[in-house]
């Protein structure tokens, strides 16, 4: 009986130690990618519909946002631009889309070919973008975004 | 003797389970910022010196590097790009650093006013950049870099 108890405890000890080695990133990267893409689609829909409430929920409060002119704007400034109708997403078209997952961080990159109206000016030229999501308190939050016009060759 | 062995194994079992819950000491945001800035400065020095070995260590293998022309470079392409003759710094100036810390992820933004020769062309225009660092196996790695020319106002 004592031998069985000793062996059982030994097994628990070994399982516990083995578990401690693999506890980084409890959710598989594939599952995280799927969850992030769902939030990304919600965000894109919210931008097209100028749904400030949804964007308020998805954007992190300390969002780092750099527009195509190299200007750094805050979450409040970006939402105000959308609310005021200074930014309108007229179509949605992306290519070369990649998602890199690092545990509870996802970096999305791609080519934005959509047409945007920015302060009355129509922008249709391609832009290379990077978006960063981080899982905070169980929710994927959009923490950073930068977009660069692609220079003509 | 058997009782001592049983108690010892029980202790090891609980230790394994406790580690599995993630009881490692968490760092403060200030400590994390300090660590990342140290790696960032090492990286900056390596860029100026064409030190590919150091950059190879700091850049993640799946690095996504977007230059101000909107061109996407892989790690291998970026390492080839920093060799003397391709990228030569006349001076090195960076400012307006902001770090956003999310546990094992840091988003770093800043302004580069460095004067640099890039493939024979002198670049004077300031660039707004965003970098993402992720802590992997105890080391901070740069997983992405994105830069824009700052438009004149």
């Amino acid at each position: 009986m004592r031998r069985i108890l000793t062996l059982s405890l030994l097994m628990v000890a070994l399982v516990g130690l083995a578990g401690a080695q693999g506890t980084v990133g409890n959710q598989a990267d594939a599952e995280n990618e799927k969850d992030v893409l769902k939030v990304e689609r919600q965000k894109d829909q919210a931008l097209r519909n100028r749904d400030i409430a949804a964007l308020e929920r998805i954007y992190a409060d300390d969002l780092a946002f750099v527009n195509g002119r190299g200007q750094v704007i805050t979450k409040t400034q970006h939402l105000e631009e959308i609310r005021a109708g200074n930014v309108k997403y007229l179509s949605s078209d992306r290519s070369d889309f990649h998602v890199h997952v690092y545990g509870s961080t996802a970096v999305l990159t791609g080519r934005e070919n959509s047409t945007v109206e920015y302060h009355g000016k129509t922008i249709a030229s391609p832009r290379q973008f990077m978006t960063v999501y981080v899982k905070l308190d169980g929710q994927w939050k959009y923490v950073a975004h930068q977009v660069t016009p692609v220079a003509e060759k | 003797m058997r009782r001592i062995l049983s108690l010892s194994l029980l202790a090891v079992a609980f230790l394994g389970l406790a580690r599995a819950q993630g009881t490692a000491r968490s760092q403060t945001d200030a400590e994390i910022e300090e660590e990342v800035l140290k790696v960032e400065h090492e990286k900056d020095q390596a860029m100026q010196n064409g030190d590919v070995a150091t950059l190879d260590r700091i850049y993640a293998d799946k690095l996504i590097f977007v230059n101000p022309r909107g061109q996407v470079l892989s790690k291998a392409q970026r390492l080839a790009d920093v060799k003397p003759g391709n990228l030569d710094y006349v001076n090195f100036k960076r400012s307006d650093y902001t770090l956003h810390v999310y546990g094992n992820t840091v988003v770093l933004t800043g302004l580069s006013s460095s004067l640099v020769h890039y493939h024979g062309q002198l670049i004077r225009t300031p660039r707004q950049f965003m970098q993402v660092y992720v802590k992997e196996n105890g080391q901070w790695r740069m997983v992405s870099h994105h830069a824009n020319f700052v438009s004149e106002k």
Side-chain angles (χ1 to χ4, degrees):
Chain A
M1 182 63 189
R2 281 182 183 172
R3 191 175 295 176
I4 291 170
L5 177 63
T6 304
L7 284 171
S8 300
L9 286 169
L10 185 63
M11 282 178 63
V12 170
L14 287 171
V15 167
L17 285 168
Q21 300 301 320
T23 52
V24 175
N26 291 326
Q27 200 173 1
D29 282 357
E31 194 62 33
N32 278 338
E33 185 175 322
K34 193 175 133 192
D35 289 344
V36 165
L37 287 175
K38 186 179 169 189
V39 178
E40 174 73 355
R41 283 193 293 273
Q42 288 173 1
K43 185 266 297 173
D44 288 343
Q45 190 72 32
L47 281 172
R48 282 195 295 276
N49 297 339
R50 291 166 61 200
D51 182 351
I52 303 300
L55 293 171
E56 177 74 53
R57 175 177 51 81
I58 293 168
Y59 289 169
D61 290 339
D62 63 344
L63 170 66
F65 192 103
V66 181
N67 65 18
R69 294 177 60 81
Q71 296 167 324
V72 182
I73 58 177
T74 63
K75 174 180 175 177
T76 302
Q77 289 169 326
H78 180 53
L79 290 179
E80 185 50 40
E81 284 195 320
I82 295 167
R83 192 194 326 264
N86 291 329
V87 180
K88 292 178 190 169
Y89 291 81
L90 306 178
S91 69
S92 180
D93 180 19
R94 287 184 169 177
S95 57
D96 299 336
F97 194 64
H98 296 282
V99 182
H100 295 261
V101 177
Y102 306 93
S104 55
T105 298
V107 179
L108 282 62
T109 60
R111 180 73 60 99
E112 185 72 64
N113 304 304
S114 57
T115 302
V116 176
E117 192 181 286
Y118 185 68
H119 288 268
K121 186 180 167 188
T122 300
I123 299 170
S125 52
R127 288 93 63 203
Q128 185 67 31
F129 71 87
M130 175 179 76
T131 296
V132 185
Y133 282 90
V134 175
K135 197 167 184 179
L136 301 170
D137 296 326
Q139 289 200 339
W140 287 98
K141 303 287 277 199
Y142 179 97
V143 304
H145 178 82
Q146 182 152 352
V147 60
T148 300
V150 177
E152 289 176 21
K153 290 181 183 176
Chain B
M1 183 61 192
R2 282 182 180 171
R3 189 177 296 176
I4 291 170
L5 180 59
S6 300
L7 286 171
S8 301
L9 286 169
L10 192 63
V12 171
F14 278 120
L15 177 63
L17 285 169
R19 283 184 64 192
Q21 299 299 320
T23 53
R25 186 187 79 86
S26 56
Q27 289 179 293
T28 63
D29 283 3
E31 286 171 336
I32 291 170
E33 281 191 19
E34 197 183 317
E35 276 186 5
V36 168
L37 282 172
K38 187 180 170 197
V39 177
E40 174 71 2
H41 292 318
E42 275 183 62
K43 187 260 300 170
D44 288 346
Q45 199 63 44
M47 284 196 318
Q48 294 170 72
N49 297 335
D51 181 355
V52 173
T54 298
L55 292 172
D56 188 36
R57 173 174 54 80
I58 294 172
Y59 290 163
D61 291 339
K62 292 184 187 174
L63 171 73
I64 307 149
F65 193 100
V66 180
N67 66 22
R69 293 180 60 82
Q71 295 167 325
V72 184
L73 306 178
S74 64
K75 177 177 176 176
Q77 289 169 324
R78 170 61 183 165
L79 290 177
D81 234 17
V82 299
K83 288 178 180 164
N86 289 336
L87 182 69
D88 297 294
Y89 283 88
V90 177
N91 58 38
F92 192 86
K93 290 183 189 171
R94 288 204 166 176
S95 61
D96 301 350
Y97 279 99
T98 303
L99 281 80
H100 301 257
V101 178
Y102 308 98
N104 283 342
T105 299
V106 173
V107 176
L108 187 156
T109 62
L111 184 70
S112 173
S113 307
S114 308
L115 207 58
V116 57
H117 285 281
Y118 181 65
H119 289 276
Q121 190 187 3
L122 183 63
I123 310 286
R124 295 175 185 274
T125 312
R127 285 88 64 201
Q128 180 66 37
F129 65 89
M130 180 184 290
Q131 288 165 177
V132 182
Y133 278 92
V134 172
K135 197 167 191 177
E136 292 183 316
N137 299 320
Q139 290 201 341
W140 287 102
R141 308 291 295 277
M142 190 174 102
V143 303
S144 69
H145 170 95
H146 198 117
N148 282 43
F149 288 121
V150 179
S151 300
E152 289 175 23
K153 292 180 184 180

